[in-house]
Amino acid sequence: MNKKPFVTYDKLQEIVKEFPTPFHLYDEKGIRENAKALKEAFAWNKGYKEYFAVKATPNPFLIQILREYGCGCDCSSMTELMLSKAIGATGDDIMFSSNDTPEQEFAYAASLNGIINLDDITHIEKVEKAVGKLPKKMSCRYNPGGIFKISNDIMDNPGDSKYGMTTEQIFEAFRIMKAKGVEEFGIHAFLASNTVTNDYYPLLAQKLFELAVRLKEEVGVHIGFINLSGGVGIPYRPDQEPNDIRVIGKGVEKVYNEILVPAGMGDVAIYTELGRFMMGPYGCLVTKAINEKHTYKEYIGVDACAVNLMRPAMYGAYHHITVMGKENQPCDHMYDVTGSLCENNDKFAIDRMLPKVDMGDLLVIHDTGAHGFSMGYNYNGKLKSAEVLLTEDGEAKLIRRAETPKDYFATFDCFDFYKKVLE
Ligand SMILES: *Cc1c(COP(=O)(O)O)cnc(C)c1O
C-alpha cells in the first residue's frame, strides 16, 4: 500500500528551483475540499461552527482559507489571539480554550469579545478579576476522569490528563456563574487525540449531551453550545482507513436527536475545534538527501531535522516518506532517515524500507500540515523553514519566509554583541 503525494515530481522540481529545501508545502485544493466536506457533514445543525485550532498551523494565509468556510479560531495563548485578531477573527469567531492561563490573557481574550472556555473552576474568579465581571457567555471544559474506551479499545486516559473540571466541579461552576449573571453556557471536552475511527465524536457527543441535559435540569441554565473540540485524526500510516467526516456528522446527529431534542434542547449549536483533521494531510515537508552513511546501519541524512518536524522525535510518530521520482521502484533498502541535530532521536524514520536513495533526491515527508511546522524550535541554532502554498492554479506561493540568522539572534538586539554577530 502507498500514499501518494499531492504534488507531482515535475511540479516539485520546479518549486525547489524557486524555494530551497527544506520547506513545508501546503495543498490549497485539499484544504478547501476538506473544509467544505466538514461544513456539509454538520449542515444539519443550525449553529454549527468549526474553530480551527490555531496551534496546529498558525499561518494566517492558511487560516484565511478556512475562514471562507465559516471557520473561527480556537486559541490558547496571547500570540494566537493576536494572530486571530489580525485576520479579523474576533467576537464569536474566537474560542479561547486555554489551560494554566495567565490572567492577562483572559483580559486580552475578553477585550476581543472572544468566548472564554474555562479549564478550571478557580478560573471563574481569575476572569472576574481580569475582566471586571464575567462575560454573558461562558464555556467550561469537562473531564469525566477514568479511561475513555470505544467498545474494548482504550482511546485515551482522561483521568491522567491535566485538562478540564470534574463532574462535581462543572455543576458547581455553572451554579456560581449563573448566580453571577452568565446567561449562555457551553460545554467542552477533549478526551482522545488523533482518533482514526468514526465512533469518537458520536461517543463523546453522547457523554456531553447527557451531561448537558442534567446541567439544564439540575442547575437551570441555558446551554447554547456543545464543543466537541479536536481529536478527529488522520491516517499517518498507509494501511489505515481514513475517517469519513460524513459518517461522523451523521453519528453526532443521531445522538443529538436521541438525547437533546427530546429534552427540548434542539437549539443547541455544535462546535468543533479541529486542528489535525483540517490541515494534517494537506501539508508535507520537502527535504533533500545530502549525506549517506554506512556504519552499523544505513543512514540517509537530509537537510531537514526535528526542528522542522518534531513528531517522530517527540512521540515516535510515523510519517510516511516518498522518494520523489522513485514512486514505482521497489522499497528494497532499509534506512534510518536522519536530521542533523546532536540528538540521536532526530530521525524521521527508523528501519524504513525505501527505494535506493541517491544524493540530491527529494523526499516528501507526508502529513505535516498540522502540528508540524508549528511545533518547531531552534535547538542547535537550526532555523525554521519557509512555508509554501501550492495554490489551486498550481502556483507556488510563499506564505512564510524561512528564518535567517538575524531572526535567531533577534532577542540579543538590545546588546552590542548583536551587531557583531551579523557582520
Ligand atoms: C490541540 C487542541 C485542539 C486540536 O486538536 P487536534 O488533535 O489537532 O484536532 C483542539 N482544542 C484544544 C483545546 C486543543 O488543545
Side-chain angles (χ1 to χ4, degrees):
M1 245 183 276
N2 225 326
K3 254 179 186 283
K4 212 169 160 259
F6 58 78
V7 62
T8 63
Y9 176 63
D10 291 343
K11 187 79 216 174
L12 198 57
Q13 290 290 356
E14 233 178 80
I15 296 173
V16 296
K17 279 190 198 127
E18 191 176 355
F19 304 105
T21 56
F23 55 85
H24 283 270
L25 184 69
Y26 298 91
D27 172 22
E28 179 178 7
K29 186 160 170 281
I31 294 169
R32 285 185 183 279
E33 282 170 3
N34 185 62
K36 189 161 163 276
L38 173 74
K39 198 175 164 182
E40 283 167 10
F42 284 92
W44 55 267
N45 182 254
K46 201 163 152 278
Y48 174 73
K49 192 172 177 79
E50 150 73 1
Y51 291 87
F52 176 66
V54 172
K55 72 160 190 263
T57 322
N59 187 304
F61 296 94
L62 299 175
I63 301 175
Q64 282 293 19
I65 298 173
L66 298 179
R67 300 266 301 140
E68 290 179 36
Y69 300 85
C71 298
C73 296
D74 160 35
C75 305
S76 55
S77 69
M78 189 70 126
T79 47
E80 288 176 4
L81 287 166
M82 291 167 76
L83 192 151
S84 303
K85 181 186 174 209
I87 60 173
T90 58
D92 279 357
D93 277 344
I94 291 181
M95 183 66 65
F96 187 51
S97 286
S98 63
N99 71 95
D100 187 19
T101 315
E103 213 171 281
Q104 60 274 25
E105 296 191 2
F106 280 133
Y108 188 61
S111 78
L112 301 178
N113 293 314
I115 304 172
I116 295 177
N117 179 33
L118 297 181
D119 181 67
D120 190 50
I121 191 163
T122 59
H123 289 179
I124 300 174
E125 269 180 39
K126 273 208 156 170
V127 172
E128 274 187 305
K129 208 164 142 221
V131 184
K133 64 176 180 22
L134 293 181
K136 291 255 175 287
K137 191 190 291 189
M138 293 287 286
S139 171
C140 288
R141 183 164 184 168
Y142 176 53
N143 182 336
I147 285 168
F148 187 76
K149 281 188 195 168
I150 297 181
S151 315
N152 282 323
D153 290 343
I154 294 178
M155 302 302 293
D156 226 318
N157 194 346
D160 224 19
S161 97
K162 65 172 178 169
Y163 306 109
M165 305 184 193
T166 66
T167 311
E168 269 182 3
Q169 285 172 341
I170 200 166
F171 276 85
E172 183 63 15
F174 274 40
R175 278 191 199 99
I176 295 170
M177 293 196 296
K178 186 188 171 201
K180 289 180 185 288
V182 174
E183 292 167 3
E184 186 180 344
F185 291 78
I187 310 173
H188 168 283
F190 190 161
L191 302 187
S193 193
N194 191 31
T195 58
V196 190
T197 158
N198 294 326
D199 296 333
Y200 169 64
Y201 256 9
L203 196 61
L204 171 70
Q206 184 196 334
K207 283 183 195 292
L208 291 183
F209 294 171
E210 284 167 355
L211 177 71
V213 172
R214 280 186 59 202
L215 282 163
K216 182 195 168 211
E217 286 171 358
E218 293 172 36
V219 187
V221 289
H222 166 59
I223 309 283
F225 56 92
I226 292 174
N227 185 344
L228 303 177
S229 187
V232 175
I234 60 168
Y236 286 99
R237 290 178 180 275
D239 58 353
Q240 281 176 304
E241 185 71 28
N243 288 327
D244 185 337
I245 198 64
R246 286 162 306 185
V247 174
I248 292 174
K250 278 208 166 65
V252 175
E253 182 182 16
K254 182 164 173 281
V255 283
Y256 189 98
N257 289 333
E258 283 167 4
I259 300 169
L260 289 182
V261 173
M265 297 172 73
D267 59 345
V268 172
I270 300 299
Y271 293 167
T272 55
E273 284 174 349
L274 296 167
R276 194 186 316 269
F277 183 78
M278 301 308 288
M279 290 286 186
Y282 315 112
C284 63
L285 176 58
V286 180
T287 185
K288 191 189 284 177
I290 56 171
N291 284 294
E292 57 188 310
K293 178 165 179 172
H294 318 280
T295 51
Y296 304 104
K297 294 185 90 173
E298 295 294 303
Y299 294 99
I300 295 296
V302 295
D303 60 3
C305 64
V307 160
N308 309 110
L309 175 68
M310 198 181 190
R311 297 187 72 259
M314 185 149 161
Y315 313 117
Y318 181 94
H319 279 265
H320 198 67
I321 296 176
T322 299
V323 183
M324 296 301 282
K326 299 184 175 176
E327 290 87 342
N328 299 319
Q329 292 185 17
C331 293
D332 53 3
H333 284 64
M334 187 160 77
Y335 296 113
D336 281 13
V337 179
T338 83
S340 56
L341 295 187
C342 303
E343 273 290 342
N344 198 41
N345 70 2
D346 184 16
K347 293 179 178 175
F348 292 115
I350 296 173
D351 295 339
R352 183 74 58 90
M353 297 308 295
L354 293 172
K356 180 171 187 310
V357 177
D358 294 296
M359 294 303 90
D361 278 353
L362 290 174
L363 273 59
V364 159
I365 304 181
H366 292 247
D367 302 314
T368 67
H371 311 293
F373 178 95
S374 63
M375 271 192 172
Y377 56 120
N378 280 117
Y379 196 54
N380 267 166
K382 294 286 174 177
L383 303 175
K384 289 186 208 156
S385 78
E387 295 186 288
V388 178
L389 179 66
L390 181 61
T391 68
E392 282 189 300
D393 319 329
E395 259 178 83
K397 212 174 90 183
L398 187 69
I399 54 172
R400 186 196 300 261
R401 67 163 171 81
E403 276 184 344
T404 65
K406 199 171 167 183
D407 298 310
Y408 181 74
F409 291 110
T411 43
F412 293 117
D413 62 2
C414 51
F415 304 104
D416 285 342
F417 159 81
Y418 178 70
K419 284 176 217 111
K420 275 210 189 85
V421 77
L422 293 174
E423 267 168 18

